[in-house]
Amino acid sequence: MRHGWQGRSHKKRGRGIDRMPLFTIAELQQMAQEWVALEYQQTPDAGLRDPFRPGIVLSPNDMYAVQVARSGYRPVPLSPAQNRSFLLPQSVIPGKGGFMIDYRTYQPVTQDAGHYREILLRGGSKLPGRADRWECRFNPYRPERVWLYDHTAATWVTCDFRLRHLLTDPWTADMWQEHAERHRAAGGSEQDEEAIALALAQRDRRRRSRRPPPKRTGAEPPFQGLELETEQPSQDPYAGLEEFDLSTLRPRPALPISPMAPPPAPAALPAGAETGGEPEGGQAPHPLAALFVPADVTDGPPDASATGTPAEAHEVVDAELLDDLDSVTDGDDSYEDGEDVIDVWEAPEGMEP
């Protein structure tokens, strides 16, 4: 592409252009989209910086992620009327037989015929600088349907191409202009829309009937761009969700849980007690709450009523520890008379503590 365009027209071309690869409009559009997604969006730019980290240069994707993390993101689907405002504008003069865009006649659909007659009765649009012309929006990649805007009622009038039934295959405004120029070169007129529509329809028929090129699986469809929802409203994936009150969000407390702590014994319920209900306060005690002593308690095991663990469990543990200690200090049958008992807390001679 860089070598093929060297001047103000297609006649000013580079040398050896016949030996270089040539691309169609659809292929160039695909390559442009790949360049934007894979290179431009991921390349750092000196003009993109985070105010909290001005020393870091960000790419467009990084800058978008920073803004989303700061302010949140919720996609808002656009209505058909809002999508129509993105189409190309055209000033037209409505008449009894419709109005024309590039020598194509458009007429209102059946459900909007009454509204179109009201526009005719009003006369001109009375907009500054437009005289009797009204605003119309159309998609050059799908010119079979346009929308006439009534600014007095803020509504749209849907209009279809008069010879739409002849063109069953996808077509664009550039294809129409190409056949219009051929028809004019053959001695015809650009206003003869019937002949141009028939020539465009015959081209599509010839393309379907002839043998496809050897390197392709079929005829390449014309590039028509991104299709906007101009008829039906887009579905909102967040339509059924309720608004979340951020003031009700509370941080979760951190618990000093030891990985070596054994699971506590299940608490015994008194006879006749109900199961499945929540305790007083609305929050169940933590399963490992019995292993930790509150800061205001210095001696003794934790309160059984506060931790949910019965006092008998602590008494059993204390009794086992005392039995082990008595077996070492009081002397047992395993020790002979006169044998010294080694204190486990004192290091033997010759060994440093």
Side-chain angles (χ1 to χ4, degrees), residues 192-242:
D192 191 1
E193 55 183 346
E194 289 84 358
I196 299 175
L198 290 175
L200 184 58
Q202 292 176 1
R203 170 187 177 275
D204 295 335
R205 295 192 187 98
R206 290 194 301 268
R207 186 186 62 181
R208 291 195 303 267
S209 60
R210 68 183 181 183
R211 180 178 300 178
K215 295 183 180 181
R216 295 180 180 177
T217 58
E220 183 180 0
F223 175 75
Q224 292 188 313
L226 179 63
E227 184 177 3
L228 298 177
E229 294 292 343
T230 55
E231 300 295 337
Q232 301 294 333
S234 303
Q235 295 182 357
D236 186 3
Y238 304 94
L241 299 180
E242 298 180 356

Side-chain angles (χ1 to χ4, degrees), residues 8 14-15 25 32 39 43 74 102 140 143-144 170 175-176 193-194 196 211 221-222 225 242 274 285 326 337 349:
R8 62 183 180 273
R15 297 180 180 179
I25 298 298
E39 185 173 350
T43 303
R74 179 176 180 179
D102 295 338
E144 62 272 4
M175 297 172 61
W176 177 274
E193 55 183 346
E194 289 84 358
I196 299 175
R211 180 178 300 178
E242 298 180 356
E274 297 181 357
D326 293 341
D337 295 339
E349 295 181 1

